Amino acid sequence: MPRIAPVVPALLLTFAALSACTGDGGGVDGTPGGSGLRDPYFPKAGNGGYDVTHYALTLAYDPGTRHLTGTADITARAAKDLSAFDLDLKGLTVRDVTVEGAGARFSRAGQELTVRPHDELPKGRTFRVTVRYAGTPETITDADGSQEGWVYTEDGALGLGEPVGSMAWFPGNHHPSDKATYDITVTVPQGLAAVSNGELADRTTRDGRATFHWHTAEPMASYLATVGIGRYDLRRATVGDDRLPVWTAVDPVSAKDAAPVLARLPEVMDWLRDNFGPYPFASTGALVEREEDATYALETQTRPFFPGAPDTITFVHELAHQWYGDSVTPKTWRDMWLNEGFATYAEWLWAEDHGGQSAQQRFAELYEHGEDEYEDLWDFPPGRPGSAADISANPVYQRGAMVLHKIRQTVGDDAFYDLIQGWAAAHRHGNASTADFIAYVERQAPDEDFSAIWSDWLYGQGRPAHA
Ligand code: TRP
Ligand code: ZN
């Protein structure tokens, strides 16, 4: 099908009128799904009008040429009568698009790939859209200056998605509220490995190229999807009485330093399960690159990413995210403290249980002298970051953890552990907002008054007057 220029309103009208009178959509008179989900911090992220249920991504990448070819087979359900819908894709060249096997028209403007199916899609219809694309993927610079998207490494590349990097390597509904299952198949030159989320379902070698097929059966937000391509040592082990599969991929340069912390995975997983409840996924593990390849760790689902060997506390942080962030995912980017406050509080609990300072000591230290450690600590409340550049800033992490500690002080230890386990259980594999959290806490402890915690610690400007 021909490529069309970015849609002008007149053109849109023509298509709608045409399909309405030919009855192509079986009497459906749909409208476009809409670009963006009006996220308060990333308004263009995601798209309206449909929900993705599954992504089947078939990728081939050669680090020598930096050329990626991809086929994204996306299964989605129309949430309304659709004449057109958007996918987010940044850079790359789209070769063709089909919907339900029929050629579809498409146009591109910025990060929006607008698809106009031959037949309109009635509300409730499950449909399949296939996008074939290729090119040299972009590294995206975040609002806060960090690098995401397709990150080039010494011997390969990394797909890193938080918050909006995944659109650099596959088209999709790139907002945390639309979770889906995944099959990610990557072909690379023989000698390299390709690691991704979930379990390795298949691995083949042919004509000097190696193909790795990874399967994720639990819902995953697209910012947690990852692919690592490089000269990794890729290994499978198991952990726990239930012999949960563990996949680790380690750059040989980091292997010696990573070995002692990776050896603690069984102990860390046991501790996390004891504290937070059943592990939500079918495998665990880690992806360890070289220190110079990225500047941050990321809680990519089942396979947290580390730039170089992590220290134990970072390891605990990213694995704690599997419960808080990956299984229970924020509804919007404003709810980021539900990720980072919990993962930071997990660090405090770990220290408390392993001979370090207690969470109460850590809380008091931050309250008294926090500005020496983080000069921006009191700049904004965790529940309302100032802008997109602030969603990964210290107040979200540290003040977010302080909110949880205030709740613990209020309800006591036993009720607190029940509460955080119950939160993971209540929204397992789903999405939740800060409003959901407040309502949940108040429902669980109806006799307590949390109003000052919400007004001063979660939403209050500046340092609260009382610890
Ligand atoms: N969410 C990651 C973590 O805390 C960290 C992270 C990802 C980050 N992207 C970032 C931090 C960008 C600062 C800037 O586990
Ligand atoms: Zn984190």
Side-chain angles (χ1 to χ4, degrees):
M1 294 301 285
R3 234 193 102 165
I4 57 169
V7 179
V8 295
L11 212 52
L12 245 168
L13 262 173
T14 315
F15 284 126
L18 245 174
S19 61
C21 58
T22 56
D24 262 346
V28 176
D29 196 5
T31 51
S35 61
L37 284 171
R38 296 172 213 270
D39 185 276
Y41 294 76
F42 296 89
K44 284 187 286 190
N47 306 285
Y50 66 94
D51 280 307
V52 176
T53 53
H54 186 70
Y55 291 91
L57 308 177
T58 307
L59 310 174
Y61 184 70
D62 182 351
T65 59
R66 299 193 160 193
H67 189 75
L68 174 79
T69 56
T71 301
D73 240 315
I74 301 169
T75 308
R77 194 165 178 279
K80 62 197 258 319
D81 293 345
L82 285 173
S83 60
F85 59 89
D86 280 21
L87 296 164
D88 297 323
L89 181 68
K90 188 137 195 289
L92 302 167
T93 302
V94 175
R95 296 208 165 132
D96 53 56
V97 181
T98 63
V99 176
E100 296 290 75
R105 298 182 183 221
F106 64 91
S107 62
R108 302 192 66 186
Q111 70 182 59
E112 303 299 325
L113 165 63
T114 302
V115 177
R116 211 164 297 288
H118 181 267
D119 297 323
E120 295 201 347
L121 298 163
K123 177 178 177 170
R125 166 81 56 85
T126 295
F127 63 96
R128 194 143 147 185
V129 48
T130 302
V131 181
R132 292 199 312 138
Y133 58 100
T136 300
E138 288 181 18
T139 307
I140 294 173
T141 302
D142 268 353
D144 69 9
S146 30
Q147 310 256 283
E148 52 164 325
W150 200 253
V151 175
Y152 293 88
T153 63
E154 194 56 36
D155 57 4
L158 294 163
L160 295 178
E162 189 179 44
V164 289
S166 293
M167 64 182 172
W169 58 282
F170 66 98
N173 196 19
H174 291 308
H175 188 266
S177 58
D178 190 0
K179 297 167 77 163
T181 56
Y182 284 71
D183 280 283
I184 300 179
T185 302
V186 189
T187 298
V188 293
Q190 201 173 341
L192 298 183
V195 62
S196 185
N197 314 91
E199 299 81 57
L200 186 62
D202 193 26
R203 175 184 185 159
T204 53
T205 310
R206 221 182 105 199
D207 301 334
R209 304 205 304 165
T211 298
F212 298 78
H213 169 193
W214 296 88
H215 176 67
T216 295
E218 304 86 18
M220 177 163 77
S222 76
Y223 79 92
L224 298 168
T226 191
V227 56
I229 294 162
R231 216 168 291 283
Y232 307 117
D233 180 9
L234 176 63
R235 292 181 191 218
R236 186 186 189 277
T238 62
V239 66
D241 297 338
D242 54 341
R243 307 188 66 74
L244 183 74
V246 179
W247 285 101
T248 52
V250 180
D251 186 305
V253 171
S254 301
K256 193 166 162 290
D257 290 344
V261 64
L262 293 178
R264 295 188 74 178
L265 184 71
E267 179 194 348
V268 174
M269 288 291 294
D270 272 355
W271 182 86
L272 291 165
R273 295 201 227 203
D274 280 351
N275 286 284
F276 303 146
Y279 180 68
F281 304 119
S283 66
T284 182
L287 165 56
V288 183
E289 268 288 359
R290 303 184 195 186
E291 237 167 78
E292 60 271 26
D293 284 334
T295 54
Y296 55 85
L298 187 60
E299 63 267 28
T300 37
Q301 190 159 308
T302 66
R303 203 106 320 117
F305 165 76
F306 304 96
D311 51 27
T312 306
I313 215 70
T314 306
F315 198 50
V316 169
H317 178 110
E318 303 309 338
L319 286 166
H321 270 307
Q322 305 302 312
W323 283 256
Y324 305 107
D326 296 15
S327 173
V328 183
T329 304
K331 270 188 187 156
T332 76
W333 289 112
R334 179 158 50 203
D335 306 312
M336 184 72 152
W337 80 276
L338 290 172
N339 285 7
E340 301 306 345
F342 270 90
T344 302
Y345 202 67
E347 296 178 33
W348 298 9
L349 293 174
W350 174 272
E352 179 171 288
D353 286 356
H354 292 83
Q357 80 187 147
S358 69
Q360 175 58 36
Q361 283 167 338
R362 178 66 180 143
F363 174 88
E365 178 180 81
L366 278 174
Y367 185 73
E368 297 303 333
H369 313 291
E371 266 179 287
D372 301 343
E373 211 175 322
Y374 308 107
E375 61 171 59
D376 61 344
L377 182 63
W378 307 111
D379 281 7
F380 62 85
R384 202 178 291 116
S387 73
D390 298 322
I391 64 163
S392 291
N394 293 313
V396 173
Y397 285 67
Q398 306 301 328
R399 284 191 63 178
M402 292 175 98
V403 171
L404 294 172
H405 190 70
K406 290 302 294 179
I407 294 169
R408 181 179 173 191
Q409 284 179 341
T410 306
V411 301
D413 278 12
D414 286 353
F416 179 73
Y417 281 96
D418 287 350
L419 206 109
I420 58 176
Q421 284 191 19
W423 174 247
H427 296 281
R428 181 180 164 94
H429 298 160
N431 291 89
S433 67
T434 304
D436 294 329
F437 181 74
I438 291 172
Y440 167 81
V441 171
E442 295 192 334
R443 217 166 36 239
Q444 295 299 306
D447 299 333
E448 308 292 348
D449 181 6
F450 297 97
S451 54
I453 299 180
W454 312 139
S455 64
D456 299 350
W457 289 93
L458 183 54
Y459 287 121
Q461 294 296 337
R463 179 175 180 263
H466 306 285

